[in-house]
Amino acid sequence: MEIWVNPRCSKCRTALSLLETEGAAHTVRRYLEDVPSAEEIRAVLERLGLEPWEITRAQEPEARELGVAGWTKEPADRDRWVAALAAHPRLIQRPIVIADDGTAVVGRSEAAVRDAMARR
């Protein structure tokens, strides 16, 4: 499995610790350094079953600067949101765990990370 992390994030560190404690094979992607492309974000959104605005950290300074609070959440605006996430990866909710079966979860809780580990 793969986990997208910001090493400064406590939720990311907790998720990584759980993966390591449980001996789950995983690769780490520091997504602020290895920024996902718009296509990768679209693929992860499909795996998550979410829309881009559902994984956008709207309280980040970049989100306020972009004015995302005023953006519509319509299918026609999806590309605008994805482009913002690709250009400003700090806006991506974290951690994202991509399970071995190809699905993904936002691993902000132990239960979500365990769910991803169980997906084979």
Side-chain angles (χ1 to χ4, degrees):
M1 81 181 64
E2 180 176 90
I3 182 169
W4 292 9
V5 300
N6 173 350
R8 296 179 62 182
C9 167
S10 64
K11 297 283 186 188
C12 293
R13 291 191 306 270
T14 299
L16 280 172
S17 177
L18 179 59
L19 292 174
E20 291 166 4
T21 298
E22 296 295 323
H26 65 281
T27 58
V28 175
R29 181 172 187 170
R30 294 181 177 205
Y31 70 93
L32 296 179
E33 299 165 14
D34 182 9
V35 178
S37 68
E39 282 305 312
E40 289 175 301
I41 292 169
R42 283 186 195 91
V44 163
L45 287 166
E46 186 171 321
R47 291 173 175 190
L48 288 166
L50 297 174
E51 293 294 339
W53 44 86
E54 294 176 294
I55 67 161
T56 299
R57 297 174 53 86
Q59 299 307 314
E60 292 290 330
E62 292 96 331
R64 287 192 295 277
E65 289 170 17
L66 291 170
V68 299
W71 292 4
T72 62
K73 297 175 180 175
E74 301 294 329
D77 293 318
R78 193 170 201 268
D79 286 343
R80 180 182 191 190
W81 286 86
V82 169
L85 293 172
H88 305 277
R90 192 173 312 280
L91 299 180
I92 299 171
Q93 189 60 259
R94 59 188 184 250
I96 292 177
V97 183
I98 302 165
D100 290 337
D101 71 352
T103 61
V105 299
V106 177
R108 295 192 59 77
S109 70
E110 180 178 333
V113 176
R114 287 191 181 281
D115 180 47
M117 287 191 296
R119 299 178 186 189
R120 301 203 186 262

